[in-house]
Amino acid sequence: MSTAEETAGGEVQPWAEVTPDAARRLLLAAVEAFAERGYHATTTRDIAGRAGMSPAALYIHYKTKEELLHRISRIGHEKALDILRTAARGEGSPTERLADAVSSFVRWHAGGRTTARVVQYELDSLGPEARAEIVGLRKQVNAEVRGIIEDGVRTGEFDVPDVHGTTLAVLSLCIDVARWFNVNGPRTPEEIGDLYADLVLRMVGAKNAGSRS
């Protein structure tokens, strides 16, 4: 499955906000190249070649290779934040909202694993200014999950002595799916999402953990 075909929650074209078409093609090519070879081992010629364009054409849309990575990372983190924010601010108990947040977040990392690997694991390849922006988005992602867990502790649904550490553990568990998920494996992104939602509910000591199975 190519990056263009990977979906997140039924999203057919995950980069629809990138225009014109040539800029989108270059971005898709960059995602594939960065995921396969790593940012530092990828050249602008590699990216342009994958997009079926000349290296000179790339610079019409992106001044540098880092600008490409920055845009990929920003859009990806904004999508991740939107997924978690929607779940966190939805209706339902903290247990229901945490399960929804985890299952949705995991589906995104599994269904769009190529993109997610670049988004989540190439942070240190960005320059200081771009990195600071992405770190800011990551803090917002963290805050959405932490807020749900804090709500559950407050209502007595969760038993979590260390909210900060548990939040980091939950996010790490979800993000790591992008590293190992195989589309030809025995489980779909939806099944992995449900499994991880149950695991996380057990992690936080939810009173009705396991009821989703």
Side-chain angles (χ1 to χ4, degrees):
M1 181 185 291
S2 72
T3 304
E5 293 172 319
E6 290 176 354
T7 63
E11 185 180 26
V12 176
Q13 173 51 268
W15 303 103
E17 63 269 69
V18 180
T19 57
D21 179 68
R24 185 185 307 113
R25 284 165 51 201
L26 287 163
L27 187 142
L28 287 166
V31 168
E32 292 171 352
F34 294 157
E36 180 182 315
R37 305 187 62 186
Y39 174 80
H40 292 295
T42 299
T43 67
T44 53
R45 184 175 295 276
D46 293 332
I47 296 168
R50 285 173 183 259
M53 302 166 69
S54 70
L58 184 149
Y59 295 108
I60 295 174
H61 302 283
Y62 302 99
K63 295 178 182 177
T64 64
K65 183 176 70 168
E66 185 191 345
E67 184 180 335
L68 262 169
L69 177 62
H70 182 204
R71 190 165 192 193
I72 292 165
S73 190
R74 185 179 66 246
I75 292 173
H77 278 87
E78 287 172 346
K79 177 61 178 178
L81 178 58
D82 180 64
I83 289 168
L84 292 174
R85 184 170 284 162
T86 298
R89 302 182 185 185
E91 297 181 356
S93 67
T95 297
E96 292 168 331
R97 288 186 283 124
L98 184 60
D100 186 25
V102 170
S103 61
S104 300
F105 202 45
V106 166
R107 288 198 306 271
W108 184 75
H109 281 83
R113 65 206 172 281
T114 304
T115 296
R117 283 200 299 272
V118 176
V119 168
Q120 298 292 5
Y121 295 116
E122 288 287 1
L123 177 64
D124 289 338
S125 297
L126 292 170
E129 186 175 339
R131 188 181 190 281
E133 180 186 3
I134 301 307
V135 167
L137 287 170
R138 288 194 175 194
K139 288 179 179 178
Q140 293 181 61
V141 164
N142 182 294
E144 294 297 337
V145 176
R146 186 177 66 247
I148 303 174
I149 296 174
E150 288 173 341
D151 285 347
V153 172
R154 189 162 43 247
T155 63
E157 292 178 47
F158 301 160
D159 180 14
V160 181
D162 183 347
V163 172
H164 175 71
T166 301
T167 299
L168 291 178
V170 170
L171 288 170
S172 296
L173 188 70
C174 296
I175 288 169
D176 194 55
V177 170
R179 183 183 58 78
W180 61 261
F181 182 79
N182 184 343
V183 68
N184 296 315
R187 288 180 170 171
T188 66
E190 290 74 21
E191 289 170 335
I192 298 295
D194 287 343
L195 171 64
Y196 273 47
D198 281 339
L199 291 174
V200 168
L201 291 183
R202 295 176 192 277
M203 183 188 298
V204 300
K207 296 185 183 301
N208 61 346
S211 63
R212 291 168 52 89
S213 301

